[in-house]
Amino acid sequence: MTMLNHLINGARVNSQGRTQDIYNPSTGEVSGQVSLASKATVEEAIAAAHKAYPEWRNTPPAKRARVMFRFKQLLEQNADEIAHLIGQEHGKISHDAAGELQRGIENVEYACGVPELLKGEYSKNTGPGIDSWSEFQPLGVVAGITPFNFPAMVPLWMYPMAIACGNTFVLKPSERDPTSALYIAELALEAGLPAGVLNVVNGDKEAVDTLLDDPRVQAVSFVGSTPIAEYIYSRASANGKRCQALGGAKNHAIVMPDADMDYVVSSLTGAAFGSSGERCMALSVAVAVGDKAADTLIEKMKSRMESLKVGAFSDANNDFGPVITQAHREKVLGYINSAEQQGASVVVDGRNIMVPGYENGFFVGGTLIDRVTPEMTCYQEEIFGPVLLVVRAGSMEQAMQLIDDHEYGNGTCIYTRDGEAARYFSDNIQVGMVGINVPLPVPVSYHSFGGWKRSLFGDLSAYGPDAVRFYTKRKTITQRWPSAGIREGAQFAFPA
Amino acid sequence: MTMLNHLINGARVNSQGRTQDIYNPSTGEVSGQVSLASKATVEEAIAAAHKAYPEWRNTPPAKRARVMFRFKQLLEQNADEIAHLIGQEHGKISHDAAGELQRGIENVEYACGVPELLKGEYSKNTGPGIDSWSEFQPLGVVAGITPFNFPAMVPLWMYPMAIACGNTFVLKPSERDPTSALYIAELALEAGLPAGVLNVVNGDKEAVDTLLDDPRVQAVSFVGSTPIAEYIYSRASANGKRCQALGGAKNHAIVMPDADMDYVVSSLTGAAFGSSGERCMALSVAVAVGDKAADTLIEKMKSRMESLKVGAFSDANNDFGPVITQAHREKVLGYINSAEQQGASVVVDGRNIMVPGYENGFFVGGTLIDRVTPEMTCYQEEIFGPVLLVVRAGSMEQAMQLIDDHEYGNGTCIYTRDGEAARYFSDNIQVGMVGINVPLPVPVSYHSFGGWKRSLFGDLSAYGPDAVRFYTKRKTITQRWPSAGIREGAQFAFPA
Amino acid sequence: MTMLNHLINGARVNSQGRTQDIYNPSTGEVSGQVSLASKATVEEAIAAAHKAYPEWRNTPPAKRARVMFRFKQLLEQNADEIAHLIGQEHGKISHDAAGELQRGIENVEYACGVPELLKGEYSKNTGPGIDSWSEFQPLGVVAGITPFNFPAMVPLWMYPMAIACGNTFVLKPSERDPTSALYIAELALEAGLPAGVLNVVNGDKEAVDTLLDDPRVQAVSFVGSTPIAEYIYSRASANGKRCQALGGAKNHAIVMPDADMDYVVSSLTGAAFGSSGERCMALSVAVAVGDKAADTLIEKMKSRMESLKVGAFSDANNDFGPVITQAHREKVLGYINSAEQQGASVVVDGRNIMVPGYENGFFVGGTLIDRVTPEMTCYQEEIFGPVLLVVRAGSMEQAMQLIDDHEYGNGTCIYTRDGEAARYFSDNIQVGMVGINVPLPVPVSYHSFGGWKRSLFGDLSAYGPDAVRFYTKRKTITQRWPSAGIREGAQFAFPA
Amino acid sequence: MTMLNHLINGARVNSQGRTQDIYNPSTGEVSGQVSLASKATVEEAIAAAHKAYPEWRNTPPAKRARVMFRFKQLLEQNADEIAHLIGQEHGKISHDAAGELQRGIENVEYACGVPELLKGEYSKNTGPGIDSWSEFQPLGVVAGITPFNFPAMVPLWMYPMAIACGNTFVLKPSERDPTSALYIAELALEAGLPAGVLNVVNGDKEAVDTLLDDPRVQAVSFVGSTPIAEYIYSRASANGKRCQALGGAKNHAIVMPDADMDYVVSSLTGAAFGSSGERCMALSVAVAVGDKAADTLIEKMKSRMESLKVGAFSDANNDFGPVITQAHREKVLGYINSAEQQGASVVVDGRNIMVPGYENGFFVGGTLIDRVTPEMTCYQEEIFGPVLLVVRAGSMEQAMQLIDDHEYGNGTCIYTRDGEAARYFSDNIQVGMVGINVPLPVPVSYHSFGGWKRSLFGDLSAYGPDAVRFYTKRKTITQRWPSAGIREGAQFAFPA
């Protein structure tokens, strides 16, 4: 059985100590083991990054970018293998894994433009004979702590830009599906990163806390659940580090009566159930405005869901696969049970799904629950499973109030053809990423990803332009050359 | 005796409860009293700001900017009065107070450009038929907590831009010299700010903690000492607020052997002793490279200091005035004593200065201390008084190491004529604001102010472009209009 | 009778030679005379600007901006007088003149932000130890040639930004209504412009050609008709000058069947008849999609036009005033006649309007013409009068084809509630300024004004961000300091 | 013998008609023939580009960029072959050809960032409920006309960005060395450009005039000599096209007395003689300040030039190769003769060089001429050969005046260690590209290339950020959604 270890200073490092099983969620079987780094191992990685920093910082940005160009090529050449690794440990279907990787590659593409993105502002004559300019200098060693649900993409949100900006990096991927992250990191080295510029440590809380406390680590990027995000943010901040910590979500779509309901159903299906709903941008609540819209939505959705295919990651005909663990499967089922008990109507029930040949896989079928109300547990918490809740609202006003009252503010969407409704919604809703007829309004790689309210702790969003600001610090230089006639003497006088 | 109270919801508010004396440091006499706001009073201010927010947020940026244009006019018209108010409570000489105000006005000028500064990024065809753009929306109620040493300028670093961005504001100025801040805030209202958009509460820790804990306050800007900055940053961050907290400094100038020593002495004099050294950008340490440079510097500096004039704020012929309190005066004298005891050489001694007619004023004379070493207390801590330390270094390398080893990283300067030295210094030194032959490299209002290391907690600098980012949050909209032939039917077909 | 002369090198300059009458179009009487500058007089102005340039160029941008701040104040303080001067010579009603001035002031506001706008791009380490940055340096002497229809606003599109960027300026306003431009220029001097930085010459083709041919003039901005624009652009370009020349327009609004017709009529009325239609952004063609929309539009428009008030500029109750000259009045009437003769239907006829007490004024009443077709003279040419044409189209496709087939491409608008229609229109239409339910889509001062096709000759648009690029030239500096150990020798070695 | 033809609509096109010989300048032999396109052939290419435009314009920028990513890969994979093709027809040594290609590839890299570069500006609430944004839309068909001296690089300055911005392109490379441009264009198609997006026509004035006159061509980029640039600019401008035309140069370096003379000689050697001086950024005049500097420079330069190796392109040990044609060789020799006749001193004489085995090659040896004065022909005109002129100046002031008096203003350099001299020079010199100790201050690909005075006709520089502006036109949209309550009726009321 393979033992997954660490990538430190350009080489795979075996470490003794604690380990944890890795599962194939499609079969329910253990597929490998991952070493859990001790504090000492993490410090070794930090030390490697710290040592590699001065030279990497002084490498011209255009040269750093060229490593990213090669990295993109290698990712594309190895796309099938990476998608397979993702599917095996995470359970998502190959086309979904390929899509995840493609989004990650787009972040590498953006990092290729770092010479442009690092430009400072130059001002002539801020005073008589005085010039000022700003430089965006790298921070030093920075760390990334990433979740299981996008094992390839989320690390690529972070380190390509961090490294292109001149930092060195320690990544701690999710210990549940770490193989693809490690595989990809080795491609980055193959692309030309010097040893120590990118390091990967597998681990759990001990590794995390080491990264949060070590004074050599200048900044931490995190994506995960809100309670952990809050913990990370507080501890990193208290240690004087720069931190951005992205947490949970409960993304609502408002379905207006004038929406094209076939389009709504078609696009909601992917947004709610894709990747088994294990996405922080999953659309998990549909708010229908008016009972007529609600009834139509339910009817058409129910019909559409009959053809949903759930099964193993390896079959490209499947729409989605298992959830990540047996424990998580039970948690999702618990939310469905509670909805039923609290008075909602389970219209399509995915609790008892059976996938022939994969009887021990961690599957939950697509589930549609109508007449959900804000008091219910299933509404208040993030389910992270293939479950779509329908709430009925009497007006657009009520629908928006629901969204604004929820603690999360990651993504949201409105379905309408009406320009006024779209503008009112996008202007006023207290959510960071807004779709107009786009149920998964994930910003493209050249914009930035960030929720509001308790979905993100920190000033700056992930990837895109904000990442450049997050991974650099501003230095402002003010320069004056005292006038003495040019040094070499009076005969070389200036024009009057 | 005047009792200074609060400005809440457009009106002066009297509150019962605790008060504190305000001094005229030039005479040592009590000149008034300031009310210390209770939690309830601060909450009243927050509530006023909260109520004023929705309408102000929806006011077009160009209209908000126009209030700033009028505010600038009023500040210029009332400049003499404001300079007097500053001098009376802070002690700085009128020309210095006028300079402070001018820097503040420049921040108002920058806020006048807010329609340009708020522009988001628009991308056509992020996918087929899909457009995306970002908006920088205001945060809501934000708070500013400001120090005694720039009672007029530092508040103007904060609220003009915060308000121009669409936020409403609660300012808590220093309780030691609050009059000018209150006076200026009333001019802002006169310029056209609706009631509640800008509020001022005077107070101490109770007021501060209320601002840090109230969930309606979305962000906190602070300028003060490092221990308080760290406290503010931790508490605000733990409460989920955005925070930038600027702390202390120990700014070094490297004097290279090729520098024009007359220029060095002339510019250092103002940078070290201006405003009695009570500036976070004061140049308090000169590092001479080589003994020859050091000896020349000491000799010329000593000579120059003989003509320094110290006295009451009201006499424009004075170079600088008293320090802020008797307690602070004693603290400064203590640093000089310790330097002497620890082996440094007090070349010019300002401890026993007498200002005729102002025998009770809190004066410290200009002090020059040679042969200071890094172990001395006077070197390790921020003195915040008219004391210039000279350290002797054997090389530029040693001089830079001294700076990088200090816990603060606010400002620094090199004196040289050599392009290579200037570039090497500005590139590598671990300080946020760097001067080349500029001893006070305070960025102009259209750049941003921020130190490194323990001089600033937070991702974004004060004023300038960074202030726009600090006082707004990014929202990204992704828009797609499902193609159905234009709504009104097939006869209004599109071009093929 | 007043004789309007020139403003050269800070003083009013009388010149002998040719003159021309200025009319009050409301009364039809001559109100003054304007001197027409000879080549020598224009060269005197150019020489003054050329002499003032070096010092003005070296004045810090923030100081140049401060003149603009004061200029804005003076414009606001003198707004009533300026509006009166505009109305007297141009004929537009006081509220319209005030509106024009306000748009002009907004350009001054934008110029106040020039320190931000002039920032160049700074790149560290474009190669090892090599830095590069760009500066946007002023051009030198630049000229503006402006039309009668916005005698105050169009000059303010040009010289505030040109001057704020460090250039000096020669303005040649329209000789038909030059008084307000001269009055305003004197306010700019009062605001603090040094003598020679802004000069005004009145004149005709002799003056224009002098500006186009003099080698000291680096750039020319022009607004007027397309034939003249083309002449200006060719001649200035052939002389190696930078040039932007804005010409004519024929702005169409598409009225979709789903539009709110009351809103359409209300907003079209101002857009078509305001300022007697003498605006390059006037909405002069309404394209109704479907006969039903057309019939409703005609009916409601006819009804609305009954209450239109036409009369002298001095009565604020009037909606619009006379056209600029008797000759122009006859030209406009000729277009109406031709429409009638070529088969269109004159629904509301403004040809025989009588304004009691102003029988000799150059009035044309609001005119509505239905069933206009693309072959008609009135459709093909710019009328520049209070005449609204209605064309009927069978589909949105046909309506858009009409617009794209016209030689002009200045402004256009679509009235709809449908997001898809709005997006398709704005994406594809070959017009530079597009309104969605906005009939006069004049960009605000912090965006830029520019038509497409034969409405603008040149690469860069007027005012806003493009003006900064037009009035400056890029300089790129690449810097390397050869490493020799810092000049003063080996003992001052760098850190390894 | 190979016949080089055209690349139109994705395929090689044979055309009858006129042809011209292509030489191998190292041997002096004819190496092939190039077809000279007739007007009809060029129109065929324009038609292909015109047809391909609508679909390419609507392809998302990120997809267009991905073609550029693949194009970069293919260029790198074929670098040796391309360098060989360049050398064979141009004569430059392989390392120099590889360097040229690398600069070209860097422009492709920059074009990969086009999604970022195309971002428009989005403004919320430009008025109440009104939003405005700008889009930078492509122009349509654009043309590039490129010179012999950088047969691979200059086309890559143009079409990668033009195409990435959504335009389609017709390239007319130099008919003297067209093979590499055609080879590279085929790689661009292989990378994924649809047929018709990039077309190449070989030809002479007939082809050029067709491009300048055809109304479907929206813009022309040109690089060549100043007389042709002026012709192109005038004719394209008169035809209403956007145009940028880069012309000749006479680049001076000022050698200050404090410069490190070994560094000066070492860097000047490459800058003056590399590529036989056939570069518009070649450093062809050294202005020594003071006779001492001049004497040292001459002495060291003479010594350095003894080891210059001149020979065939195929030998990587050579420093530079032949000039482009026999006629050009004679022209260069004529300049040297004239210098001698007019009183200058030919210190190193390259007129009679013999390259064994390549007796018929078009070689000119490295030539150094001292005591050149401004009246001499060799000073006034661009030589475009391996000839370095030395002018002696008495002061920095005189040296700068020389540069400013010359008609060209492409590049320039100062050698000094003094910060004040560097800043004064870069601020004031009337040249577009300035080096501080950098003799070839060619801006990197993420800055823009543009001379001043008669070295560039047009507003916008080549490549870099300016190219995005040149290859797009600004469209400004202003949007308002009339408030009618959301379409579906009163029950869906907005929050109050």
Side-chain angles (χ1 to χ4, degrees), chain A residues 61-62 66 69 72-73 76-77 102 106 109-110 112-113 115-117 119 124-125 127 129-131 256-258 289-290 393-398 400-401 416 418-424 426-427 446-447 465 479 481-488 491-496, chain D residues 61-62 66 69 72-73 76-77 102 106 109-110 112-113 115-117 119 124-125 127 129-131 256-258 289-290 393-398 400-401 416 418-424 426-427 446-447 465 479 481-488 491-496:
Chain A
R66 253 161 238 147
F69 277 101
K72 170 183 148 77
Q73 289 177 233
E76 289 172 341
Q77 287 167 14
Q102 174 56 26
E106 289 170 24
E109 290 175 352
Y110 191 67
C112 291
E116 173 74 16
L117 301 169
K119 284 175 177 173
K124 191 69 163 285
N125 283 328
I130 301 175
D131 306 327
M256 292 291 282
D258 72 338
V289 175
S395 69
M396 181 171 160
E397 177 180 2
Q398 286 178 13
M400 287 177 65
Q401 196 62 54
T416 183
D418 192 274
E420 186 191 5
R423 202 265 184 191
Y424 185 86
S426 69
D427 184 23
Y446 43 104
H447 285 259
Q479 183 171 279
W481 294 104
S483 184
I486 301 303
R487 171 184 285 268
E488 297 300 321
Q491 78 273 34
F492 307 120
F494 282 155
Chain D
R66 254 161 237 146
F69 276 101
K72 170 183 148 77
Q73 289 178 234
E76 289 172 340
Q77 287 166 14
Q102 174 56 25
E106 290 170 22
E109 290 174 352
Y110 191 66
C112 291
E116 174 73 15
L117 302 169
K119 284 176 177 173
K124 191 68 163 285
N125 285 325
I130 301 175
D131 305 327
M256 292 291 283
D258 71 340
V289 175
S395 69
M396 182 171 159
E397 177 178 3
Q398 286 178 13
M400 287 178 65
Q401 196 62 53
T416 184
D418 191 276
E420 186 191 5
R423 202 266 184 189
Y424 185 87
S426 68
D427 184 24
Y446 44 103
H447 285 259
Q479 183 170 280
W481 295 106
S483 184
I486 300 304
R487 171 184 284 269
E488 297 300 322
Q491 78 272 33
F492 307 119
F494 283 156

Side-chain angles (χ1 to χ4, degrees), chain B residues 66 109-110 116 119 124-125 131 258 289 395 397 418 423 427 446 483 486-488 492-493 495, chain C residues 66 109-110 116 119 124 131 258 289 397 418 420-421 423-424 427 446 483 487-488 491-493:
Chain B
R66 253 161 238 144
E109 290 174 352
Y110 192 66
E116 174 73 15
K119 284 176 177 173
K124 191 67 162 287
N125 284 327
D131 305 328
D258 72 340
V289 175
S395 69
E397 177 180 3
D418 191 275
R423 202 267 185 190
D427 183 24
Y446 44 105
S483 184
I486 300 304
R487 171 185 286 270
E488 297 299 322
F492 307 120
Chain C
R66 253 161 237 146
E109 289 174 353
Y110 192 66
E116 174 73 16
K119 284 176 178 172
K124 190 68 162 286
D131 306 326
D258 72 340
V289 175
E397 177 179 2
D418 191 275
E420 186 191 5
R423 202 265 183 190
Y424 185 87
D427 184 24
Y446 43 103
S483 185
R487 171 184 285 269
E488 297 299 323
Q491 76 273 33
F492 307 120

